[in-house]
Amino acid sequence: MKNHPVIDVHGHWGPWFFAMDIGDVAENLRVMDEWGISLQIVSASEAVTYDAPGGNAKLAEILAANPRLRGYLVANPNDPAATEADLKRYAGSGLFCGVKIHTGYPRREISSPQMRDTFALLDEYAATILIHTWGGDVLDLPGLLAANPRLRVIAAHMGANRWDLAAEAARGCDRLYLEPSCSITDAGQVAHVAARVPATQLLFGTDATLIDPAVSFGLVEDAALDPATAEALYWRNAAALFDLAAPAQAAYAAR
Amino acid sequence: MRADPIRYDCDTLCGTWPARAELDFRPAAVRAKLTAAGIETGLVCSGRGAWFDDVDGNTETLAAGPGFLPVATINLRHALRAEAELDRMVAAGVRAVRLFGPLQGCEPVFPGYRHVVDAVLARGLLPLVEGDVRGCWPAFADRGARVVFLDVHAYHVADFVLLARREPGFVASTRLLNAPDSIETVVGEVGAEHLVFGSRTPLHDTSPATLRMRGARLSDADWAAVTGGTLEALLEKP
């Protein structure tokens, strides 16, 4: 348990298609309590993997009943009309604070024309995007951000097996943030990134409830960050990015 | 969260590792990481054997020192000398062998891989197997083999449980069983005798594996088995 709030910027709600018994929101709350996570920003697994509007609608009901959760609307880059409809549907609801985009399930690379058009659409809404990155595709993000000056983007998994490239991408682009959640636990990756990327661009994500928060907490702990950088990563940066300082502190105080 | 010592880590490395040349793989540095994480004994194997030369690598492994249990490796690309090297390691008291199939580009259906598996099992040695369990299990099936699969992922729990139900000696490492319930699911479905703790220190950070293990929702007996007893039983001579 930390002596400060923790904001998890990469969470999920709902069941997956693996042999896991984790679909209920109670599992989100259980791991949050176990690890001292004050707030978790989640996307619906169904929306990520299959049906974006359908999953977003189900998640909206969960969010309304669970004040420690905030939502990402999932945008399918192959369906910009549905994305825009959802953006309008939930504007002002206070339930969603960002947009999640995967690349694998919709089979669209970050460099694809569909992604270019989706980013342009989201720029009109000044969105904060959490996007799946894996390998060298993280290097495509600075160009997309340059073309869309109102966006801020979190590179999920900080490039996974190419966290070195994620550091390269983020060090020259102050609207690109990195979070470490991943099954890949290469030694020293968080320390490598933290030595090269401004501390203001580091965030904490777990990929829970797909992955246990132990993994991300372990990656950060082994980086032995100085206390100010660790606090920035664990919550202060996310609080500023998503305007969550007050609710994070309230959730921390209530634990 | 449990603070008890983790008695055995089935997955540690020493030597050097060309893809991560900046990391310290010297045995003393690895030992320090294990000690800091509360891990008493690491089953260790030199990267020299994995990447370049098994005979010299095994000699390096034998010299790792206290706090380690040496694990042999065999060059799957040069299986002609496997039996002689295995005999040398058995004579040195080694009880386990690590197979680096994916790193060495050797599939379980390759003749060299099959030959090494036969030679390892004939000597009663415990294979520690890298690679996707869904692809490498047939080389060990239907022969009463005791095997630790080092890379069983949370996504593959269903496949592993189905295998473990028919193969009493099939065991998974905890390292990639990282969903919130996958360690608990394996123990609940097939028992703690099918699971051993592994971290892949120092190639991987140690704390992701230890924190998950320490937080696992297991009985005291099951936790003790996964962190020590199961591996101890596997290393006994058949």
Side-chain angles (χ1 to χ4, degrees):
Chain A
M1 292 288 178
K2 305 296 173 193
N3 60 356
H4 53 71
V6 174
I7 300 177
D8 177 0
V9 304
H10 188 163
H12 296 285
W13 162 78
W16 294 83
F17 35 57
F18 304 113
M20 300 173 184
D21 187 20
I22 58 168
D24 196 286
V25 70
E27 186 68 359
N28 291 80
L29 299 173
R30 184 188 73 76
V31 298
M32 291 171 73
D33 288 342
E34 180 180 0
W35 290 98
I37 296 169
S38 313
L39 301 176
Q40 189 176 55
I41 311 175
V42 300
S43 55
S45 52
E46 179 180 340
V48 171
T49 58
Y50 181 62
D51 175 5
N56 289 338
K58 290 174 186 170
L59 178 59
E61 294 179 18
I62 294 292
L63 297 172
N66 292 277
R68 287 173 66 195
L69 301 181
R70 298 291 187 281
Y72 289 112
L73 273 175
V74 173
N76 178 347
N78 298 312
D79 194 352
T83 297
E84 186 151 30
D86 270 356
L87 287 165
K88 289 176 177 168
R89 181 173 297 124
Y90 297 109
S93 70
L95 300 173
F96 294 93
C97 58
V99 173
K100 168 69 184 274
I101 307 177
H102 211 284
T103 56
Y105 299 108
R107 299 185 181 168
R108 295 298 173 199
E109 300 82 4
I110 294 175
S111 59
S112 68
Q114 290 81 5
M115 201 67 78
R116 178 196 62 210
D117 293 346
T118 298
F119 271 57
L121 166 63
L122 294 173
D123 191 60
E124 296 174 25
Y125 291 83
T128 298
I129 301 169
L130 173 69
I131 188 165
H132 179 81
T133 62
W134 206 275
D137 64 359
V138 70
L139 291 174
D140 294 323
L141 287 172
L144 272 178
L145 278 161
N148 297 284
R150 302 178 70 198
L151 291 179
R152 292 178 292 186
V153 172
I154 305 166
H157 318 303
M158 59 185 202
N161 58 339
R162 291 311 304 269
W163 34 266
D164 57 329
L165 298 182
E168 285 298 303
R171 70 190 299 175
C173 181
D174 65 3
R175 288 180 288 126
L176 181 56
Y177 300 78
L178 305 179
E179 66 84 12
S181 68
C182 197
S183 291
I184 294 170
T185 54
D186 285 346
Q189 57 182 284
V190 173
H192 176 100
V193 165
R196 289 160 178 80
V197 176
T200 50
Q201 292 167 247
L202 306 175
L203 298 170
F204 182 68
T206 66
D207 216 351
T209 52
L210 180 61
I211 296 177
D212 193 279
V215 177
S216 286
F217 277 102
L219 287 168
V220 176
E221 292 307 293
D222 281 5
L225 303 175
D226 67 79
T229 301
E231 263 208 60
L233 177 147
Y234 273 123
W235 82 284
R236 289 192 185 280
N237 293 338
L241 183 61
F242 292 104
D243 193 20
L244 289 174
Q249 286 169 317
Y252 174 71
R255 73 176 185 172
Chain B
M1 183 161 295
R2 294 175 194 268
D4 318 41
I6 293 171
R7 289 172 55 214
Y8 286 103
D9 184 336
C10 74
D11 187 354
T12 75
L13 296 158
C14 67
T16 59
W17 203 262
R20 298 301 311 277
E22 80 281 17
L23 298 176
D24 192 344
F25 274 70
R26 289 174 296 177
V30 180
R31 183 61 257 161
K33 281 183 182 287
L34 297 177
T35 300
I39 298 167
E40 292 181 341
T41 301
L43 270 65
V44 75
C45 186
S46 171
R48 176 174 289 275
W51 286 90
F52 183 59
D53 183 278
D54 51 1
V55 175
D56 286 353
N58 287 335
T59 300
E60 215 169 81
T61 301
L62 289 172
F68 292 111
L69 212 55
V71 172
T73 191
I74 292 296
N75 184 357
L76 299 165
R77 300 160 295 195
H78 188 1
L80 295 180
R81 65 183 186 187
E83 290 175 286
E85 181 58 9
L86 287 170
D87 288 338
R88 183 175 81 98
M89 296 304 281
V90 169
V94 169
R95 298 292 309 133
V97 180
R98 184 160 175 157
L99 303 184
F100 291 90
L103 187 151
Q104 296 176 350
C106 292
E107 303 284 344
V109 295
F110 288 7
Y113 196 107
R114 289 293 179 101
H115 173 73
V116 170
V117 169
D118 289 346
V120 166
L121 297 182
R123 287 161 178 77
L125 293 163
L126 176 68
L128 310 178
V129 178
E130 298 209 349
D132 188 332
V133 67
R134 298 169 301 172
C136 58
W137 68 275
F140 303 92
D142 302 320
R143 52 202 303 184
R146 300 184 295 181
V147 191
V148 176
F149 294 99
L150 296 174
D151 298 328
V152 179
H153 196 286
Y155 298 171
H156 308 151
V157 159
D159 287 297
F160 178 74
V161 165
L162 291 169
L163 282 173
R165 282 180 184 162
R166 53 171 272 179
E167 294 281 353
F170 278 19
V171 175
S173 164
T174 59
R175 182 179 66 93
L176 286 172
L177 293 173
N178 49 33
D181 65 350
S182 44
I183 286 176
E184 293 82 354
T185 297
V186 170
V187 171
E189 291 284 342
V190 291
E193 65 272 25
H194 286 279
L195 206 54
V196 293
F197 174 78
S199 73
R200 198 153 297 181
T201 301
L203 186 59
H204 285 227
D205 278 335
T206 312
S207 292
T210 54
L211 289 177
R212 179 66 189 95
M213 189 70 242
R214 294 191 183 288
R217 291 163 290 153
L218 301 178
S219 69
D220 290 349
D222 285 340
W223 198 88
V226 175
T227 57
T230 296
L231 192 58
E232 214 160 52
L234 289 169
L235 290 170
E236 286 174 4
K237 292 187 179 176

